[in-house]
Amino acid sequence: MGRKAKKEAESPPKDVFDPLLIESKTPATVVLMLSSPENEVLAKACDALYKFASKGDENKVTLLGLGALEHLYKLLSHEDPIVRRNAVMVFGIMASNHDVKKLLRELDVTNSLISHLAPEEDVVIHEFATLCLAHMAVEYTTKVKIFEQGGLEPLIRLLGSPDPDVTKNSVECIYLLAQDFQIRAAVRELNVIPPVLGLLESEYPVIQLLALQTLAVISKDRESRIILGENKGLDLLLNILENNELSDLHIETLVVLGNCLEDVHALQLIQLTGGLEKLLSFLEVSTVPDIQRNAAKAITKAAYDAEIRKILHWEGVEKFLLSLLETNSDEVKVASSQAISAMCENIDSKSVLGLQGIPQLVRLLSSDNEEVKEAAATALSNLTTASPRNASVVGDAAGIEPLMNTLNAQRDGAVASAIAVLTNLSLQESYRVRIQSHGIMSALAGPLRSTNSQVQSKAAFAVAAFGCDADARAELRRAGGLGPLVGLLRSKNEEVRRNASWAVMICAIDELISTELCNLGALDILEEINLSTKRKNKFSEAALEKLLDNNLSQKYSRMGYLSSSNIITNGFYDCGQTKRGKKFLSLEELSKQELTDRRAIIFINAISEENFVDFGYLLPGEKMSSTFHLSPVNLSKCPVGELMYLNLSFRDYSILNKCIIFFYVRKRKAKKEEKPKEVINVTPEVQEEINLESSHWLPPPDFILMDYINDASKTILPLTTTREQAVALAQFVADKMGGPVETEQLHNFSWELQMSEIEYELKCNIVPIGEIKRGTFYHRALLFKAIADRIGIGCSLVRGKYNRAWNEIKLVEDSPKGLLLPPQEYVVDLMFEPGCLMKQGTAKADQYKRI
């Protein structure tokens, strides 16, 4: 038999590719492999990219630049579970990079990731999908997407996962989502609190911490706090505080309990179980600054509720807060000072904290830490508000000087609070005097210029409080504080405007300051404010009235009315109605105007002829040479009735004692051996001091008006009743102003021509009222008011239209039964039936006031 031939091996099919083992050393090659149709290649490529990305943030940026995410995104829905798992792992590890997260938002991967949270998915997929969502949930728009795409429910379900990484990532993601208040409400409705409370017993501290942080966010809502109490969450929290082994969780636990303290129901529940006493005992012995700070913050938030303040006071929380002021931590001092401020709303707490805490707070005002200084000043402000006893404690604790120093603090809150404390102290006379001796008004000039509305408001309020003293007002003026105060009237803040108006009203008590306030524009601003129904207030109206009361010429020009309490004095002038927005000119400015055919300015300046020696008067239109020489003058040679004037300007007021300036020479009965009087010679030194070019304009005297007042005093004042005096004065005024005028002949009563002649003769638009011999309604009414004010007849002056003006007086009628009747108001007739008193509101009175 022959030998068998060897069977040949079968050759592989021609269309099959032989396996190729490739070793890649660049990520770019592996990224290209993500386009492979082979599952094994895809799985290994994803695994390689995961390991590469895990090594550092730079590698993540490299993969981002190579376009790896776009390829990986397609693999999230791959049919092969290993490929899908590895792709999710890469996303989870890369999502910590900011630029990667930005691209993931653009790719909208959240929906795909949420779908991978299904129970049937691999636990590794759960871990990295939740990790990726947790990284992305930091950004608000992604929070909304996760919520809208139904991500909350699977995340809450995964809190019970046996894998701690899945649990950790899920609770972290829920914590981030719950920071949005709308999502927080949805989280509560999905009953998240019980499973989160369960995580407090986890063996992993990081999970416990995240659970506490989540509870801290969720418990901001009252409904969540109720659920927390119903699930015995408060007991769990207190147990954590009692466990020293869990000291690293105490701070976050206090945050949750602090939120619970804000709810009366939860606080009462803690109190009934003895938990509040345990909590305070724990806090008193703790020396950890973060715990002390968080505890004080929790008390601050809780103390905004009146009922909670009562409960905290019953538990003696003040003792704990005062102890915190002695710590070495500035942050704890700030938090405890803020808690004291909040607890001050309880009157019993204010009493306890004031007696024991004020000296400590005063010491904190000298701290180098500006935040400590601000918190201490705020606490002192609250403690001294409506509490004279606490204010006295501040004064007795030598608190005035550090408070004055705090006015220069860097923080606006500290400045505002320090001003408030000083204002509270000013209510007691002894402390106000001491504060003023430290220059309070000068110190307030700076805060008045502040851009902070709270500082502005407090500073203006303080000016009003201290401005009751004349020296303080003068100090504010010298310190340049009036300008900034006027500027505050333009504030858009209602409280600032109100307090500034009040301060202006107080400062305007002084005529000099009132004039300066007007020059600074206060009058115009207040008028503008009072035209607005929204911006005006009682203080702005009172401030305007007070300014005008010290500037009666402006008041009459702007308001057209002077009350019986507005006494016309020398220097008053009537320049007619001033249009709104037009500048009100001073008498000196008006005197410099050229003679015009407009309405004359009627001027009041009653100066006595007899014994008249004054300085600087020059009649309108009278001119003087710039230099001259004084020589002895024999007054016996002066013409009778002539007035000799000399206008001088002195740099040295001692010169006034060296010369007599002018004399009015009046004819008298001759006396035996009467010697002529002579003017004292002016020394050469005095001549050098005379400088007429720099002389100051002074208004002309009105001797005729003074004579009117003297005559009225002699003839009218002795009359027994006010009615008789008013009638007699009306007849007197009418007699001096051209007598009575018949109603039908009023149009023929020519007073304009005589006024023009006076103006032309004086070469000036300013006419002393005594010069007017034919006067119409407004001349007579002004003269009546001017004389009435001098002799003590109370009357008002009212401007009408078309040169009308009238006086109103109030008279008390006699009652037959001896009853005191209210006064009746009358209009005084000075034109047609001088002395006729027309009852206000009658047809005759109305006809007199109108054409």
Side-chain angles (χ1 to χ4, degrees):
M1 179 190 278
R3 189 176 178 183
K4 287 185 178 181
K6 186 178 180 183
K7 189 177 181 180
E8 296 180 2
E10 295 184 5
S11 59
K14 295 180 179 180
D15 58 346
V16 175
F17 186 81
D18 293 335
L20 178 65
L21 298 176
I22 299 177
E23 183 179 343
S24 176
K25 293 185 178 181
T26 60
T29 305
V30 180
V31 170
L32 293 175
M33 292 170 65
L34 294 176
S35 302
S36 172
E38 298 183 51
N39 293 347
E40 187 178 358
V41 173
L42 292 174
K44 290 183 177 181
C46 289
D47 185 57
L49 293 176
Y50 167 76
K51 293 176 181 177
F52 179 72
S54 301
K55 293 179 180 179
D57 213 48
E58 293 180 358
N59 293 354
K60 297 170 188 175
V61 175
T62 301
L63 294 178
L64 178 66
L66 293 173
L69 289 178
E70 289 84 348
H71 295 290
L72 289 167
Y73 177 61
K74 297 175 183 178
L75 300 181
L76 287 177
S77 55
H78 199 276
E79 57 184 10
D80 186 271
I82 298 176
V83 174
R84 195 165 61 248
R85 181 196 67 189
N86 291 355
V88 173
M89 289 173 62
V90 180
F91 271 110
I93 201 67
M94 289 189 65
S96 62
N97 181 269
H98 173 74
D99 295 325
V100 172
K101 280 189 284 191
K102 184 177 179 181
L103 181 57
L104 291 178
R105 287 196 297 271
E106 294 174 2
L107 294 173
D108 195 16
V109 301
T110 53
N111 200 25
S112 298
L113 292 171
I114 291 171
S115 66
H116 286 76
L117 300 181
E120 61 272 12
E121 288 287 357
D122 186 84
V123 69
V124 178
I125 291 181
H126 287 167
E127 176 186 348
F128 286 95
T130 53
L131 178 63
C132 185
L133 288 172
H135 284 310
M136 296 184 66
V138 175
E139 203 269 330
Y140 173 74
T141 56
T142 307
K143 285 186 176 74
V144 176
K145 280 187 178 181
I146 294 172
F147 171 64
E148 292 177 347
Q149 292 168 359
L152 273 177
E153 194 168 353
L155 285 168
I156 293 172
R157 187 184 66 250
L158 290 175
L159 291 176
S161 172
D163 186 281
D165 290 319
V166 176
T167 304
K168 178 259 178 188
N169 295 338
S170 298
V171 71
E172 183 177 5
C173 191
I174 292 171
Y175 161 68
L176 294 168
L177 292 173
Q179 294 183 26
D180 179 78
F181 74 96
Q182 290 180 328
I183 299 176
R184 189 159 63 236
V187 168
R188 182 183 65 249
E189 291 173 2
L190 291 170
N191 200 27
V192 74
I193 291 178
V196 174
L197 284 173
L199 297 180
L200 295 179
E201 299 177 357
S202 172
E203 59 181 307
Y204 299 98
V206 65
I207 293 178
Q208 291 176 310
L209 183 63
L210 285 168
L212 285 169
Q213 290 175 338
T214 305
L215 289 173
V217 175
I218 295 174
S219 60
K220 291 179 180 179
D221 298 332
R222 184 176 183 277
E223 295 80 0
S224 297
R225 292 194 290 265
I226 294 173
I227 298 172
L228 193 63
E230 292 173 350
N231 287 271
K232 300 189 182 300
L234 299 176
D235 294 334
L236 284 172
L237 295 169
L238 290 170
N239 289 337
I240 292 175
L241 289 180
E242 292 176 345
N243 190 343
N244 291 330
E245 295 180 359
L246 300 176
S247 59
D248 55 333
L249 301 177
H250 286 171
I251 295 174
E252 295 299 332
T253 304
L254 280 173
V255 174
V256 183
L257 284 170
N259 291 339
C260 295
L261 293 180
E262 296 180 41
D263 184 72
V264 177
H265 176 75
L267 183 59
Q268 289 173 340
L269 187 62
I270 298 173
Q271 187 186 28
L272 290 173
T273 59
L276 187 55
E277 187 178 353
K278 291 180 183 178
L279 177 60
L280 290 175
S281 299
F282 166 77
L283 295 175
E284 287 175 1
V285 299
S286 176
T287 57
V288 180
D290 287 342
I291 291 178
Q292 294 173 327
R293 185 186 72 251
N294 282 291
K297 286 184 176 180
I299 293 170
T300 302
K301 290 193 293 182
Y304 284 109
D305 185 277
E307 194 63 31
I308 292 175
R309 286 196 297 270
K310 286 183 182 179
I311 296 173
L312 292 174
H313 171 65
W314 291 337
E315 295 294 335
V317 74
E318 297 88 357
K319 179 182 177 183
F320 167 65
L321 294 176
L322 291 174
S323 68
L324 295 184
L325 294 177
E326 299 293 340
T327 61
N328 295 324
S329 170
D330 286 341
E331 291 182 346
V332 175
K333 291 176 183 176
V334 170
S336 59
S337 298
Q338 292 170 344
I340 289 172
S341 297
M343 285 299 297
C344 283
E345 294 298 320
N346 181 279
I347 189 168
D348 294 324
S349 294
K350 178 182 277 191
S351 178
V352 173
L353 293 167
L355 290 174
Q356 302 177 30
I358 285 178
Q360 295 171 276
L361 292 167
V362 168
R363 287 195 294 271
L364 293 182
L365 291 177
S366 302
S367 171
D368 295 331
N369 187 306
E370 291 292 325
E371 193 174 359
V372 171
K373 194 180 296 183
E374 179 182 17
T378 303
L380 287 171
S381 173
N382 291 343
L383 283 167
T384 55
T385 299
S387 179
R389 188 179 71 166
N390 284 349
S392 298
V393 176
V394 173
D396 295 340
I400 293 177
E401 187 171 350
L403 283 167
M404 291 294 298
N405 294 335
T406 307
L407 297 184
N408 299 317
Q410 297 175 7
R411 297 176 75 95
D412 290 331
V415 176
S417 296
I419 294 173
V421 180
L422 291 168
T423 305
N424 293 336
L425 287 170
S426 72
L427 298 177
Q428 300 181 44
E429 177 70 21
S430 58
Y431 294 126
R432 188 175 72 247
V433 172
R434 285 169 57 185
I435 294 169
Q436 286 175 188
S437 68
H438 283 77
I440 179 63
M441 285 302 203
S442 298
L444 287 173
L448 286 172
R449 296 183 175 89
S450 172
T451 56
N452 182 281
S453 60
Q454 186 185 18
V455 175
Q456 293 172 343
S457 176
K458 298 295 184 184
F461 189 84
V463 169
F466 289 99
C468 59
D469 183 81
D471 291 337
R473 295 192 295 271
E475 181 187 339
L476 180 69
R477 178 175 174 269
R478 291 192 300 270
L482 295 180
L485 180 62
V486 171
L488 296 184
L489 294 173
R490 297 187 183 276
S491 173
K492 295 181 180 179
N493 185 286
E494 183 179 357
E495 184 180 339
V496 173
R497 282 200 312 275
R498 184 179 66 246
N499 290 347
S501 299
W502 188 6
V504 167
M505 178 184 71
I506 297 297
C507 291
I509 294 173
D510 292 334
E511 187 173 349
L512 181 63
I513 294 178
S514 177
T515 302
E516 186 166 342
L517 288 169
C518 291
N519 293 337
L520 291 168
L523 205 59
D524 296 326
I525 299 171
L526 287 168
E527 275 194 328
E528 180 185 343
I529 290 173
N530 291 332
L531 286 174
S532 170
T533 55
K534 293 183 179 180
R535 297 174 64 204
K536 75 174 182 179
N537 54 70
K538 296 296 182 182
F539 291 102
S540 65
E541 293 174 345
L544 177 62
E545 185 175 352
K546 179 60 71 174
L547 283 175
L548 291 174
D549 284 345
N550 278 327
N551 295 271
L552 294 184
S553 299
Q554 286 203 55
K555 181 174 184 178
Y556 190 53
S557 179
R558 292 174 183 267
M559 313 296 289
Y561 177 78
L562 294 181
S563 69
S564 57
S565 62
N566 297 141
I567 306 300
I568 291 179
T569 57
N570 289 341
F572 177 88
Y573 58 99
D574 175 17
C575 59
Q577 187 76 36
T578 300
K579 294 181 180 179
R580 195 169 301 282
K582 187 178 179 181
K583 181 185 176 184
F584 182 81
L585 299 178
S586 67
L587 194 63
E588 184 173 359
E589 290 172 322
L590 291 169
S591 71
K592 295 176 182 178
Q593 293 181 344
E594 294 182 0
L595 187 64
T596 64
D597 58 356
R598 294 193 208 125
R599 182 184 187 280
I601 293 97
I602 311 303
F603 179 57
I604 305 293
N605 193 23
I607 301 294
S608 173
E609 298 177 8
E610 298 179 2
N611 303 320
F612 180 76
V613 177
D614 208 340
F615 306 97
Y617 279 99
L618 184 65
L619 286 176
E622 186 175 350
K623 295 182 180 179
M624 258 187 198
S625 60
S626 58
T627 58
F628 56 89
H629 177 71
L630 292 177
S631 59
V633 178
N634 190 332
L635 295 182
S636 63
K637 298 180 181 180
C638 294
V640 174
E642 290 293 324
L643 183 64
M644 300 181 65
Y645 289 91
L646 183 60
N647 195 347
L648 304 177
S649 177
F650 300 103
R651 290 190 295 272
D652 183 1
Y653 286 97
S654 63
I655 299 173
L656 298 181
N657 296 322
K658 301 179 182 178
C659 60
I660 298 175
I661 308 306
F662 59 79
F663 302 89
Y664 185 89
V665 183
R666 167 171 277 191
K667 185 176 182 180
R668 298 184 183 273
K669 293 179 180 180
K671 295 183 180 179
K672 292 182 179 181
E673 298 179 0
E674 184 176 6
K675 295 182 179 180
K677 298 180 181 178
E678 295 183 354
V679 175
I680 301 173
N681 235 343
V682 179
T683 63
E685 293 81 5
V686 174
Q687 293 180 12
E688 294 178 1
E689 293 294 331
I690 298 175
N691 181 5
L692 294 178
E693 292 180 355
S694 61
S695 62
H696 180 69
W697 183 87
L698 290 174
D702 191 342
F703 299 134
I704 299 175
L705 175 60
M706 193 64 218
D707 287 341
Y708 287 169
I709 294 171
N710 290 335
D711 291 345
S713 299
K714 295 174 183 176
T715 60
I716 299 173
L717 200 56
L719 298 177
T720 56
T721 66
T722 304
R723 176 183 286 272
E724 292 175 346
Q725 291 175 341
V727 171
L729 180 58
Q731 293 170 348
F732 178 87
V733 168
D735 181 62
K736 301 300 181 183
M737 288 280 184
V741 181
E742 295 183 8
T743 308
E744 297 78 10
Q745 297 299 319
L746 181 61
H747 62 283
N748 292 326
F749 183 71
S750 176
W751 56 272
E752 295 93 340
L753 179 61
Q754 198 240 357
M755 287 297 300
S756 299
E757 290 174 350
I758 296 173
E759 290 181 82
Y760 181 77
E761 182 181 346
L762 297 176
K763 301 294 189 296
C764 184
N765 296 313
I766 300 173
V767 176
I769 197 168
E771 298 287 337
I772 303 173
K773 305 305 178 187
R774 291 179 66 83
T776 186
F777 290 89
Y778 73 92
H779 301 127
R780 299 185 184 203
L782 178 56
L783 180 60
F784 184 93
K785 170 71 172 168
I787 298 176
D789 286 347
R790 298 296 178 100
I791 65 174
I793 300 176
C795 74
S796 58
L797 175 62
V798 186
R799 187 197 305 280
K801 295 181 179 179
Y802 306 108
N803 292 326
R804 292 284 170 122
W806 60 91
N807 303 103
E808 297 173 352
I809 63 171
K810 291 183 178 179
L811 300 174
V812 179
E813 302 293 344
D814 293 332
S815 173
K817 296 182 180 179
L819 298 175
L820 184 61
L821 300 176
Q824 299 291 321
E825 197 167 56
Y826 294 87
V827 176
V828 182
D829 188 339
L830 300 172
M831 288 292 294
F832 308 121
E833 300 176 47
C836 177
L837 303 181
M838 301 167 285
K839 198 168 186 178
Q840 187 74 275
T842 61
K844 189 173 183 180
D846 291 342
Q847 184 179 5
Y848 182 83
K849 294 187 285 186
R850 296 172 179 82
I851 293 179

